[in-house]
């Protein structure tokens, strides 16, 4: 039997160091169904891990993020990922 190898991608928000992005807070709140204070508490670093999963998972998350002005990075990079 041959095992399927599944590559896991990681999605990060890339934030400005000096302040919280309101859109990043809104996006995080929507994705994880948490309130503003909880989302703001998580988004403290310049690069915050948001999710890991398959390329399909990343596409679903990015579909949700397209409504927000959020800078992100996907690792390993593929296609034209990141805004």
């Amino acid at each position: 039997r041959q095992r399927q190898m599944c590559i896991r991608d990681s999605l990060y928000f890339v934030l400005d160091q000096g302040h919280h992005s309101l859109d990043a807070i809104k996006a995080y709140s929507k994705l994880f169904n948490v309130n503003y204070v909880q989302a703001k508490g998580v988004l403290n670093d310049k690069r915050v891990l948001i999710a890991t999963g398959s390329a399909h998972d990343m596409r679903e998350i990015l579909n949700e993020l397209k409504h927000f002005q959020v800078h992100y990075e996907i690792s390993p990079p593929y296609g034209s990922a990141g805004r």
Side-chain angles (χ1 to χ4, degrees):
R1 262 178 148 189
Q2 192 176 21
R3 271 193 177 167
Q4 274 190 316
M5 189 168 167
C6 181
I7 296 174
R8 304 299 282 181
D9 296 317
S10 298
L11 174 69
Y12 298 87
F13 279 175
V14 180
L15 307 170
D16 291 334
Q17 201 65 323
H19 60 74
H20 294 91
S21 162
L22 185 56
D23 264 355
I25 294 169
K26 287 179 182 178
Y28 190 91
S29 294
K30 179 173 173 63
L31 287 173
F32 296 103
N33 198 27
V34 297
N35 67 35
Y36 176 90
V37 173
Q38 292 169 314
K40 187 175 178 182
V42 171
L43 301 176
N44 288 325
D45 296 325
K46 181 171 175 56
R47 189 172 183 250
V48 179
L49 177 65
I50 299 302
T52 59
S54 67
H56 176 75
D57 297 332
M58 293 300 115
R59 279 192 303 273
E60 287 183 8
I61 294 170
L62 292 177
N63 191 41
E64 291 291 321
L65 290 180
K66 70 182 176 186
H67 305 290
F68 301 95
Q69 293 296 314
V70 178
H71 296 281
Y72 60 85
E73 178 181 297
I74 296 176
S75 178
Y78 62 90
S80 58
R83 282 203 284 173

